[in-house]
Amino acid sequence: HLDLQADQTASGLIIAAEAYAYHGSLLADTRCPGDEAARSRILRGAGISSQDYLHAIETRLARMPAIHAIFGSLDFLVLPTTAISAPPTSEIREDDPTPSQLTRFVNYYGLSAIALPCGTDAGGMPLSVQLVAGPRQEAMLLRIGAALQRHTGYHRLRPSL
């Protein structure tokens, strides 16, 4: 079964460790321009031990077959893309994992996904649905997304800000 919170935590550990491995020395130099929130997240990777990183990788690899097996009997899942409506930019908190809570597992398990507009909330902000399929199913998801857009106008909606 999926444990989205545990998967998000493990995924965040892997992302931070790998981002630090690739970009940490560059971003440690404060003269390097960049988004401070992103810099902070990447530099946190310095504190991740190789043991913790390898454990997260091994756990993911051990769970992947069961997650991939879900798609042996179905083509795709239809899920909300986010657990919340889009907040005003002034209310976005960089340390809030909620926006990625329902999407992070897709990359973590090597799945395919597409997010498609599906309307608006009561405040006129856009909503979307994600279709999640097994590995390497992007072409199928793009065909479904194109078909949906041919039959709806959701992709043309724009919020009035």
Side-chain angles (χ1 to χ4, degrees):
H1 82 285
L2 286 174
D3 181 342
L4 295 177
Q5 188 167 8
D7 292 345
Q8 186 168 26
T9 299
S11 176
L13 184 147
I14 293 168
I15 290 168
E18 292 178 354
Y20 182 77
Y22 286 106
H23 307 292
S25 61
L26 177 67
L27 293 176
D29 181 351
T30 57
R31 295 172 296 162
C32 176
D35 179 75
E36 288 306 314
R39 179 190 311 272
S40 174
R41 284 193 305 271
I42 291 169
L43 291 178
R44 271 185 261 169
I48 297 170
S49 73
S50 58
Q51 183 178 0
D52 288 344
Y53 173 76
L54 290 174
H55 177 72
I57 294 290
E58 290 167 357
T59 300
R60 176 180 67 179
L61 291 173
R63 294 190 66 201
M64 265 184 170
I67 301 300
H68 289 186
I70 293 168
F71 299 100
S73 60
L74 51 90
D75 291 327
F76 58 90
L77 300 170
V78 180
L79 303 169
T81 305
T82 61
I84 58 171
S85 296
T89 54
S90 61
E91 294 177 17
I92 293 174
R93 288 187 12 247
E94 289 290 336
D95 62 341
D96 182 4
T98 304
S100 64
Q101 184 177 30
L102 300 176
T103 57
R104 181 86 55 91
F105 80 95
V106 173
N107 290 331
Y108 182 65
Y109 288 116
L111 303 173
S112 305
I114 187 170
L116 301 163
C118 65
T120 58
D121 66 11
M125 295 301 287
L127 297 173
S128 68
V129 62
Q130 68 173 327
L131 307 181
V132 179
R136 299 173 300 284
Q137 295 301 312
E138 291 84 359
M140 174 189 66
L141 294 175
L142 288 170
R143 287 192 302 274
I144 294 168
L148 182 68
Q149 288 189 342
R150 280 193 300 276
H151 297 286
T152 70
Y154 297 131
H155 60 289
R156 292 186 184 97
L157 297 176
R158 302 289 182 267
S160 56
L161 302 174

